[in-house]
Amino acid sequence: MAPRRPGGRGSDVGRPRDPGTDRSILRATIELLAEVGYARLTVAEVARRAGVSKPAIYRRWSQKSQLVVEAMVTQMRPARSSATGSAAGDLLFLTEQLIDILTRTPLGRVLPGLVAEMAADPVLATSYRELIIEPNQLDWRSAVERGIASGELAADTDTDFVLNSLAGPLYFSLLITGAPIEPGYARAAVDLVLARFGTGPGE
């Protein structure tokens, strides 16, 4: 069976894998990340908690960094489509979703330590960007493009500026200051973006 993630999965030639085993491994990885962080997480302990052998894990993921990132991908899936019918609604939904991920899932709890590990582990850094950051950015870019197409956002809207304005302060709070995210942050941040790039009355 070919790797599902480039450079991540082993060949696993033979009988088909049990999806339940995959889920058990990923769930055990998330639990351990929340408990001990990336640096202290071991494949041996993931295997023990998931009730599988180490070779069973390495047949699926050839290295720990790929296993960790794919486990985190399971925490990033949106509960519903971000297409709400308006640019403001889409951007608000995505901002609130990111806040929820960073404050209510294991990803937010382990991300500070994981970012530190990325500096020394280029494979981890590349996997994190390709499997988590880039797909997530596609959702935000699509929301901005829909807003431009509908006329709700100006044709010259700077998509990167919008993304950085909405998501950047959240990561700054989590990784740098440690300050809590204010309850009204999402609405206030979207209102600022609309004040700059919106085309509606008063914007």
Side-chain angles (χ1 to χ4, degrees):
M1 183 176 292
R4 192 172 82 188
R5 306 289 183 183
R9 297 248 181 172
S11 61
D12 200 21
V13 175
R15 64 183 181 181
R17 292 196 301 263
D18 177 6
T21 299
D22 281 23
R23 289 192 294 270
S24 295
I25 294 169
L26 294 172
R27 183 168 57 248
T29 302
I30 287 294
E31 292 172 356
L32 285 167
L33 281 170
E35 294 172 14
V36 304
Y38 176 80
R40 293 174 57 197
L41 182 144
T42 66
V43 173
E45 183 58 22
V46 172
R48 187 198 67 78
R49 181 166 299 199
V52 302
S53 65
K54 285 175 60 178
I57 293 178
Y58 283 119
R59 284 197 299 270
R60 293 162 165 82
W61 297 274
S62 62
Q63 48 200 340
K64 183 180 88 168
S65 59
Q66 196 70 23
L67 168 62
V68 166
V69 172
E70 190 163 333
M72 287 190 166
V73 169
T74 68
Q75 305 294 297
M76 298 294 291
R77 292 169 182 163
R80 60 182 177 84
S81 170
S82 62
T84 65
S86 73
D90 291 353
L91 294 175
L92 183 62
F93 169 79
L94 289 167
T95 305
E96 290 177 338
Q97 176 180 270
L98 181 58
I99 291 173
D100 188 67
I101 289 169
L102 294 178
T103 59
R104 299 178 184 274
T105 74
L107 175 59
R109 293 195 294 273
V110 305
L111 188 57
L114 195 65
V115 168
E117 294 295 329
M118 287 183 204
D121 188 340
V123 174
L124 173 64
T126 298
S127 295
Y128 183 82
R129 294 188 187 104
E130 291 181 351
L131 299 182
I132 293 182
I133 297 298
E134 291 176 9
N136 188 252
Q137 286 183 332
L138 285 177
D139 289 338
W140 294 73
R141 292 183 185 281
S142 294
V144 173
E145 290 169 2
R146 288 194 299 270
I148 293 174
S150 68
E152 296 170 84
L153 297 176
D156 64 348
T157 296
D158 186 331
T159 303
D160 288 331
F161 181 85
V162 172
L163 268 61
N164 292 335
S165 296
L166 298 178
L170 299 176
Y171 285 103
F172 186 78
S173 295
L174 179 69
L175 300 175
I176 306 299
T177 68
I181 299 169
E182 295 297 325
Y185 169 80
R187 173 59 67 181
V190 170
D191 284 347
L192 283 175
V193 167
L194 294 177
R196 171 61 181 85
F197 296 111
T199 61
E203 295 174 345

